[in-house]
Amino acid sequence: MRMQFSPGYAFWYQVSIIAVFAIPYAFYNFVYCYLHGNNRIEHISMELFTLVIMILTYFQVFLPIPVMHVAASGRTTFVYHAGWQLIFPTIMAVLLVGLSLKRVANAVRVKHQMVSEVYLPLLGAAFLIVGNIMSVLPGIHFPFDTFSGIINAFLVFFTLTRKRAFKLNLLVSPSVVLYCTLIVGAVLGANFIGDGIKLIQGYTDSITAVIVIMSVALTIFVLIVGLLAYKAISRISLRREQVVQDRVKNFSLATSKTLNVHEIMGDISDVLCEGLGVSHLMIFMLDRNKGKYVLSHTVNPLDNKNIEIDRDVPYIEYIKDSDTCLLLSEFKRSTTYRSMWESEKRMLADCDVACITPIRNNKDLTGILLIGNKNNKAPYSYDDIVFLESIQSIGSIALNNAMLFEDTKRRADMDDLTGMLNRNAFLKRVEDAIDAKENDQLSLIMISIDDFRLYNELYGSQEGDKALQYIASMIMNTVTRNDIAGRYSGKEFCICLPGKNQMQALRTTENIKEQLNRNEMGNGGIKMKKLTFCAGICSIPYGASNLKELMTNATMQVFSGKHTGKDKIITYQSDGVSGKYGAADGDGQQGQIVFRGYEGAASTIYALTAAIDAKDHYTFNHSSNVAEYASELAKEAGLSDEHIRIIHEAGLLHDVGKIAIPESILSKPGRLETDEYEIMKTHVEHSIEIIRYLPDLDYLIPAVVGHHERWDGTGYPNGIEGDNIPMGARCLAVADAFDAMTSKRSYKEAFSVEFAAKEISNQAGKQFDPQLTCLFVKMIEDGQIRPRLRDAVG
């Protein structure tokens, strides 16, 4: 306007006055967006009001176009004629400035925004207001409004770069470099125009030719210089960006291939330490039980692992409401930092923290990253923050997915009623503990509550559930962190003690029993039935060699306790002796319990063997022989007394299912056809179906069902192999084959003992357990095993 450019000073006055009245709204809009405003109604109202003010200003309602006076000296002045109408845009400007200051104060007080984030724009606004006021004062000819606008723009620009709203190095982007190079190239080329003209005039006198040649030469020179500079800066910037993109891409691929929380934390720390050039980084995750953020991962192994951060720490409150990371150098200038406890400030200083960034799950702050100073002591740049926020975003998603998976897996592994491991999860953990090389010994305790069905009938299933929860909590409070405890079935609990021997397991079980005896269950003052349990204990390597044997032997001890009076702890020993510890007697001392056998089951077993004899006399004799041979082998193998008795009973009943096989097949004189053999094989399933309905004899099923399994896994009915075959079934398999060979049958004569011993020896590691095979053959050679049938060959 002052220079009276076309189309005239009146037009430029309209533009400038509209800009002046729009400045308060622009300042308000900047503060609103910068501080994350959320009152949309207020914002829209201000937009409409400002638009009305600008329209009225354009039509000169508030301030007419000034009158231009030209003095004799040639100086031009503008005379303004302001009226009372000017009060309306002034009130509007004051209102907008007031609302902006109110929003700033609210952000500092409520949202914990740092004063350092907003004082520069406030200072710029002050310059702008003062500059525009001074520009309209009489006698002022210096363009204070323009000068103050430049200062304000610089302060706003600097504020945005500190907030990392855009790259500061955009000033040296390839496009800017190209334009600057073109200008510099043109200036440099202009210096050689005179020499170039003289050189060309030496070849031609045509002015047109000289101008064309010089123009083309200058253009080519400028383009070549610009192109070289553009390629150089592009290669440098692209190479840097490519390195960052590759790191983000590799990190994203690595985290997408795992659901392990600790592996993802390791990937986060590795990529940030390498990308940012830091050597100190700590990850804290929210422990909802404690209500604190606990240290979950650190790069430095010497860091204190017991650091915890409260959820109400001021910087936690800040990053909870912020979308960006928090630089400690800026945070220290805030009132929020000054309000922190000295211990909280000292923790940040001791950990060499330079940057704090959140780990989110939607709006929930699930963790925080504390990142140290860069190794080169340089401040965090815009590119560093962008890289950090990219990794933080990807890492947050990966960590939250992994934690959700682990929580789901944990819930799937837990028993809903007691909160302990369920059966499958417990067995998996025990199997892993057995496979672990550091566990040279391991003990297992199986606890079965006595008369629990009666307890439920007396007091109801709700009280029964309370009893289970009570015992489960007692067990969990007794075992250590390295122990494994789970609910094995309805009324059975199992405890695995890695690295502990049988005596340590016995003391743990006695501790649980003593607690149960001291604390009796009651309901409303009514004394309830005393709860007791039977416990079986077995250990590796002396009592078992694998998980299946461990569970089988512990289960047998529980059955032994149930059949000999209940309320007992019985340990399994492989030397044929079982230590039995019963309930405390009258004087409170532990008494030795003498094993009384399975008298209650004997009559049932003899009744079944009589039924077998009525169907097929050979099968009856065969079952008796197998029972004797197998029990002798078990005794020689050093199995416990209870185990030997179980094997003997299983031998008596292992072929009870042949009652369901047609006599035409049982007594067939020749070789069985394929379909007949398939029918014969079903006697195993029939045996199981018969035994499972017999009272208190289901413990025989594992030995009965596996006596036709083979060591190499080609047997039937389940095709299991090696140590997975129950020990009782392995003993029965050897005894069954020996009696079959040394006995006369409808389709063959009896083989000699020597022949049978050789065949059994040949099948070691194929059909039979190699160790039991060697032991059985040696027993034959020593005369401990002899055929018992009259038709056998000696």
Side-chain angles (χ1 to χ4, degrees), residues 431-452:
E431 190 171 4
D432 293 341
I434 292 173
D435 293 339
K437 295 181 180 179
E438 62 268 18
N439 295 322
D440 56 344
Q441 56 184 354
L442 177 145
S443 297
L444 183 132
I445 306 167
M446 177 170 283
I447 295 175
S448 178
I449 303 174
D450 296 329
D451 303 320
F452 189 66

PDB file of all heavy atoms in Angstrom, residues 431-452:
ATOM      1  N   GLU A 431       6.781 -82.206  31.897  1.00  0.00           N
ATOM      2  CA  GLU A 431       7.579 -82.820  30.830  1.00  0.00           C
ATOM      3  C   GLU A 431       8.763 -81.927  30.472  1.00  0.00           C
ATOM      4  O   GLU A 431       9.880 -82.410  30.261  1.00  0.00           O
ATOM      5  CB  GLU A 431       6.696 -83.047  29.606  1.00  0.00           C
ATOM      6  CG  GLU A 431       7.346 -83.891  28.531  1.00  0.00           C
ATOM      7  CD  GLU A 431       6.372 -84.283  27.439  1.00  0.00           C
ATOM      8  OE1 GLU A 431       5.215 -83.829  27.489  1.00  0.00           O
ATOM      9  OE2 GLU A 431       6.775 -85.047  26.544  1.00  0.00           O
ATOM     10  N   ASP A 432       8.525 -80.621  30.406  1.00  0.00           N
ATOM     11  CA  ASP A 432       9.622 -79.684  30.132  1.00  0.00           C
ATOM     12  C   ASP A 432      10.651 -79.717  31.256  1.00  0.00           C
ATOM     13  O   ASP A 432      11.864 -79.624  31.010  1.00  0.00           O
ATOM     14  CB  ASP A 432       9.077 -78.267  29.972  1.00  0.00           C
ATOM     15  CG  ASP A 432       8.221 -78.107  28.722  1.00  0.00           C
ATOM     16  OD1 ASP A 432       8.350 -78.957  27.824  1.00  0.00           O
ATOM     17  OD2 ASP A 432       7.423 -77.158  28.662  1.00  0.00           O
ATOM     18  N   ALA A 433      10.184 -79.837  32.508  1.00  0.00           N
ATOM     19  CA  ALA A 433      11.104 -79.897  33.644  1.00  0.00           C
ATOM     20  C   ALA A 433      11.946 -81.162  33.607  1.00  0.00           C
ATOM     21  O   ALA A 433      13.133 -81.144  33.955  1.00  0.00           O
ATOM     22  CB  ALA A 433      10.321 -79.807  34.957  1.00  0.00           C
ATOM     23  N   ILE A 434      11.342 -82.268  33.184  1.00  0.00           N
ATOM     24  CA  ILE A 434      12.087 -83.528  33.078  1.00  0.00           C
ATOM     25  C   ILE A 434      13.144 -83.437  31.979  1.00  0.00           C
ATOM     26  O   ILE A 434      14.271 -83.925  32.125  1.00  0.00           O
ATOM     27  CB  ILE A 434      11.120 -84.703  32.813  1.00  0.00           C
ATOM     28  CG1 ILE A 434      10.235 -84.946  34.041  1.00  0.00           C
ATOM     29  CG2 ILE A 434      11.892 -85.983  32.478  1.00  0.00           C
ATOM     30  CD1 ILE A 434       9.151 -85.967  33.822  1.00  0.00           C
ATOM     31  N   ASP A 435      12.787 -82.782  30.861  1.00  0.00           N
ATOM     32  CA  ASP A 435      13.720 -82.651  29.742  1.00  0.00           C
ATOM     33  C   ASP A 435      14.845 -81.673  30.032  1.00  0.00           C
ATOM     34  O   ASP A 435      15.889 -81.717  29.376  1.00  0.00           O
ATOM     35  CB  ASP A 435      12.964 -82.207  28.486  1.00  0.00           C
ATOM     36  CG  ASP A 435      11.994 -83.279  27.992  1.00  0.00           C
ATOM     37  OD1 ASP A 435      12.199 -84.458  28.349  1.00  0.00           O
ATOM     38  OD2 ASP A 435      11.040 -82.928  27.271  1.00  0.00           O
ATOM     39  N   ALA A 436      14.626 -80.760  30.985  1.00  0.00           N
ATOM     40  CA  ALA A 436      15.653 -79.761  31.302  1.00  0.00           C
ATOM     41  C   ALA A 436      16.897 -80.441  31.877  1.00  0.00           C
ATOM     42  O   ALA A 436      16.815 -81.268  32.776  1.00  0.00           O
ATOM     43  CB  ALA A 436      15.103 -78.738  32.292  1.00  0.00           C
ATOM     44  N   LYS A 437      18.050 -80.092  31.355  1.00  0.00           N
ATOM     45  CA  LYS A 437      19.288 -80.757  31.748  1.00  0.00           C
ATOM     46  C   LYS A 437      19.709 -80.414  33.177  1.00  0.00           C
ATOM     47  O   LYS A 437      20.427 -81.177  33.815  1.00  0.00           O
ATOM     48  CB  LYS A 437      20.403 -80.365  30.776  1.00  0.00           C
ATOM     49  CG  LYS A 437      20.169 -80.874  29.349  1.00  0.00           C
ATOM     50  CD  LYS A 437      21.307 -80.479  28.435  1.00  0.00           C
ATOM     51  CE  LYS A 437      21.075 -80.987  27.029  1.00  0.00           C
ATOM     52  NZ  LYS A 437      22.170 -80.590  26.108  1.00  0.00           N
ATOM     53  N   GLU A 438      19.264 -79.237  33.674  1.00  0.00           N
ATOM     54  CA  GLU A 438      19.719 -78.847  35.010  1.00  0.00           C
ATOM     55  C   GLU A 438      19.025 -79.628  36.118  1.00  0.00           C
ATOM     56  O   GLU A 438      19.450 -79.574  37.271  1.00  0.00           O
ATOM     57  CB  GLU A 438      19.495 -77.341  35.221  1.00  0.00           C
ATOM     58  CG  GLU A 438      18.039 -76.897  35.164  1.00  0.00           C
ATOM     59  CD  GLU A 438      17.620 -76.462  33.774  1.00  0.00           C
ATOM     60  OE1 GLU A 438      18.324 -76.823  32.809  1.00  0.00           O
ATOM     61  OE2 GLU A 438      16.589 -75.789  33.653  1.00  0.00           O
ATOM     62  N   ASN A 439      17.930 -80.341  35.780  1.00  0.00           N
ATOM     63  CA  ASN A 439      17.210 -81.100  36.802  1.00  0.00           C
ATOM     64  C   ASN A 439      17.706 -82.548  36.837  1.00  0.00           C
ATOM     65  O   ASN A 439      17.203 -83.407  36.113  1.00  0.00           O
ATOM     66  CB  ASN A 439      15.697 -81.061  36.530  1.00  0.00           C
ATOM     67  CG  ASN A 439      15.129 -79.657  36.660  1.00  0.00           C
ATOM     68  OD1 ASN A 439      15.538 -78.906  37.531  1.00  0.00           O
ATOM     69  ND2 ASN A 439      14.204 -79.300  35.792  1.00  0.00           N
ATOM     70  N   ASP A 440      18.723 -82.834  37.671  1.00  0.00           N
ATOM     71  CA  ASP A 440      19.234 -84.192  37.760  1.00  0.00           C
ATOM     72  C   ASP A 440      18.309 -85.080  38.575  1.00  0.00           C
ATOM     73  O   ASP A 440      18.406 -86.307  38.524  1.00  0.00           O
ATOM     74  CB  ASP A 440      20.643 -84.201  38.362  1.00  0.00           C
ATOM     75  CG  ASP A 440      20.681 -83.508  39.723  1.00  0.00           C
ATOM     76  OD1 ASP A 440      19.721 -82.782  40.037  1.00  0.00           O
ATOM     77  OD2 ASP A 440      21.671 -83.696  40.448  1.00  0.00           O
ATOM     78  N   GLN A 441      17.414 -84.467  39.352  1.00  0.00           N
ATOM     79  CA  GLN A 441      16.404 -85.226  40.078  1.00  0.00           C
ATOM     80  C   GLN A 441      15.121 -84.403  40.123  1.00  0.00           C
ATOM     81  O   GLN A 441      15.139 -83.175  40.001  1.00  0.00           O
ATOM     82  CB  GLN A 441      16.888 -85.568  41.478  1.00  0.00           C
ATOM     83  CG  GLN A 441      17.305 -84.371  42.318  1.00  0.00           C
ATOM     84  CD  GLN A 441      17.856 -84.800  43.668  1.00  0.00           C
ATOM     85  OE1 GLN A 441      17.832 -85.962  44.036  1.00  0.00           O
ATOM     86  NE2 GLN A 441      18.378 -83.837  44.426  1.00  0.00           N
ATOM     87  N   LEU A 442      14.024 -85.108  40.299  1.00  0.00           N
ATOM     88  CA  LEU A 442      12.711 -84.454  40.262  1.00  0.00           C
ATOM     89  C   LEU A 442      11.726 -85.341  41.005  1.00  0.00           C
ATOM     90  O   LEU A 442      11.761 -86.571  40.878  1.00  0.00           O
ATOM     91  CB  LEU A 442      12.285 -84.230  38.817  1.00  0.00           C
ATOM     92  CG  LEU A 442      10.906 -83.622  38.538  1.00  0.00           C
ATOM     93  CD1 LEU A 442      10.973 -82.716  37.308  1.00  0.00           C
ATOM     94  CD2 LEU A 442       9.860 -84.716  38.306  1.00  0.00           C
ATOM     95  N   SER A 443      10.863 -84.733  41.787  1.00  0.00           N
ATOM     96  CA  SER A 443       9.880 -85.492  42.558  1.00  0.00           C
ATOM     97  C   SER A 443       8.472 -85.039  42.214  1.00  0.00           C
ATOM     98  O   SER A 443       8.250 -83.865  41.893  1.00  0.00           O
ATOM     99  CB  SER A 443      10.117 -85.317  44.059  1.00  0.00           C
ATOM    100  OG  SER A 443      11.374 -85.830  44.433  1.00  0.00           O
ATOM    101  N   LEU A 444       7.544 -85.977  42.287  1.00  0.00           N
ATOM    102  CA  LEU A 444       6.147 -85.685  41.996  1.00  0.00           C
ATOM    103  C   LEU A 444       5.273 -86.156  43.151  1.00  0.00           C
ATOM    104  O   LEU A 444       5.458 -87.252  43.680  1.00  0.00           O
ATOM    105  CB  LEU A 444       5.706 -86.352  40.694  1.00  0.00           C
ATOM    106  CG  LEU A 444       4.265 -86.020  40.277  1.00  0.00           C
ATOM    107  CD1 LEU A 444       4.214 -85.621  38.815  1.00  0.00           C
ATOM    108  CD2 LEU A 444       3.322 -87.204  40.508  1.00  0.00           C
ATOM    109  N   ILE A 445       4.344 -85.309  43.552  1.00  0.00           N
ATOM    110  CA  ILE A 445       3.393 -85.621  44.626  1.00  0.00           C
ATOM    111  C   ILE A 445       1.992 -85.626  44.023  1.00  0.00           C
ATOM    112  O   ILE A 445       1.600 -84.650  43.373  1.00  0.00           O
ATOM    113  CB  ILE A 445       3.453 -84.572  45.752  1.00  0.00           C
ATOM    114  CG1 ILE A 445       4.886 -84.404  46.266  1.00  0.00           C
ATOM    115  CG2 ILE A 445       2.502 -84.933  46.878  1.00  0.00           C
ATOM    116  CD1 ILE A 445       5.070 -83.171  47.139  1.00  0.00           C
ATOM    117  N   MET A 446       1.263 -86.707  44.217  1.00  0.00           N
ATOM    118  CA  MET A 446      -0.138 -86.744  43.813  1.00  0.00           C
ATOM    119  C   MET A 446      -1.000 -86.800  45.072  1.00  0.00           C
ATOM    120  O   MET A 446      -0.808 -87.673  45.916  1.00  0.00           O
ATOM    121  CB  MET A 446      -0.435 -87.949  42.919  1.00  0.00           C
ATOM    122  CG  MET A 446      -1.913 -88.048  42.531  1.00  0.00           C
ATOM    123  SD  MET A 446      -2.240 -89.280  41.256  1.00  0.00           S
ATOM    124  CE  MET A 446      -1.687 -88.394  39.808  1.00  0.00           C
ATOM    125  N   ILE A 447      -1.926 -85.872  45.195  1.00  0.00           N
ATOM    126  CA  ILE A 447      -2.801 -85.766  46.368  1.00  0.00           C
ATOM    127  C   ILE A 447      -4.240 -86.012  45.934  1.00  0.00           C
ATOM    128  O   ILE A 447      -4.736 -85.344  45.016  1.00  0.00           O
ATOM    129  CB  ILE A 447      -2.669 -84.373  47.023  1.00  0.00           C
ATOM    130  CG1 ILE A 447      -1.255 -84.181  47.580  1.00  0.00           C
ATOM    131  CG2 ILE A 447      -3.709 -84.180  48.114  1.00  0.00           C
ATOM    132  CD1 ILE A 447      -0.997 -82.799  48.126  1.00  0.00           C
ATOM    133  N   SER A 448      -4.900 -86.960  46.582  1.00  0.00           N
ATOM    134  CA  SER A 448      -6.301 -87.276  46.287  1.00  0.00           C
ATOM    135  C   SER A 448      -7.116 -87.146  47.574  1.00  0.00           C
ATOM    136  O   SER A 448      -6.812 -87.788  48.584  1.00  0.00           O
ATOM    137  CB  SER A 448      -6.425 -88.698  45.730  1.00  0.00           C
ATOM    138  OG  SER A 448      -7.780 -89.028  45.492  1.00  0.00           O
ATOM    139  N   ILE A 449      -8.137 -86.298  47.550  1.00  0.00           N
ATOM    140  CA  ILE A 449      -8.957 -86.062  48.744  1.00  0.00           C
ATOM    141  C   ILE A 449      -9.781 -87.313  49.040  1.00  0.00           C
ATOM    142  O   ILE A 449     -10.398 -87.902  48.147  1.00  0.00           O
ATOM    143  CB  ILE A 449      -9.868 -84.849  48.537  1.00  0.00           C
ATOM    144  CG1 ILE A 449      -9.029 -83.616  48.196  1.00  0.00           C
ATOM    145  CG2 ILE A 449     -10.709 -84.581  49.786  1.00  0.00           C
ATOM    146  CD1 ILE A 449      -9.840 -82.405  47.841  1.00  0.00           C
ATOM    147  N   ASP A 450      -9.820 -87.711  50.290  1.00  0.00           N
ATOM    148  CA  ASP A 450     -10.564 -88.904  50.713  1.00  0.00           C
ATOM    149  C   ASP A 450     -12.060 -88.585  50.825  1.00  0.00           C
ATOM    150  O   ASP A 450     -12.442 -87.522  51.346  1.00  0.00           O
ATOM    151  CB  ASP A 450     -10.055 -89.397  52.070  1.00  0.00           C
ATOM    152  CG  ASP A 450      -8.609 -89.858  52.005  1.00  0.00           C
ATOM    153  OD1 ASP A 450      -8.199 -90.345  50.940  1.00  0.00           O
ATOM    154  OD2 ASP A 450      -7.881 -89.695  53.013  1.00  0.00           O
ATOM    155  N   ASP A 451     -12.895 -89.520  50.353  1.00  0.00           N
ATOM    156  CA  ASP A 451     -14.351 -89.461  50.521  1.00  0.00           C
ATOM    157  C   ASP A 451     -14.927 -88.122  50.069  1.00  0.00           C
ATOM    158  O   ASP A 451     -15.841 -87.559  50.700  1.00  0.00           O
ATOM    159  CB  ASP A 451     -14.740 -89.706  51.990  1.00  0.00           C
ATOM    160  CG  ASP A 451     -14.223 -91.044  52.503  1.00  0.00           C
ATOM    161  OD1 ASP A 451     -14.271 -92.029  51.741  1.00  0.00           O
ATOM    162  OD2 ASP A 451     -13.760 -91.092  53.655  1.00  0.00           O
ATOM    163  N   PHE A 452     -14.439 -87.601  48.954  1.00  0.00           N
ATOM    164  CA  PHE A 452     -14.906 -86.279  48.516  1.00  0.00           C
ATOM    165  C   PHE A 452     -16.332 -86.341  47.973  1.00  0.00           C
ATOM    166  O   PHE A 452     -17.086 -85.362  48.092  1.00  0.00           O
ATOM    167  CB  PHE A 452     -13.952 -85.719  47.449  1.00  0.00           C
ATOM    168  CG  PHE A 452     -14.228 -84.286  47.112  1.00  0.00           C
ATOM    169  CD1 PHE A 452     -14.037 -83.284  48.063  1.00  0.00           C
ATOM    170  CD2 PHE A 452     -14.700 -83.930  45.857  1.00  0.00           C
ATOM    171  CE1 PHE A 452     -14.303 -81.956  47.761  1.00  0.00           C
ATOM    172  CE2 PHE A 452     -14.959 -82.612  45.552  1.00  0.00           C
ATOM    173  CZ  PHE A 452     -14.759 -81.612  46.500  1.00  0.00           C
TER     174      PHE A 452
END
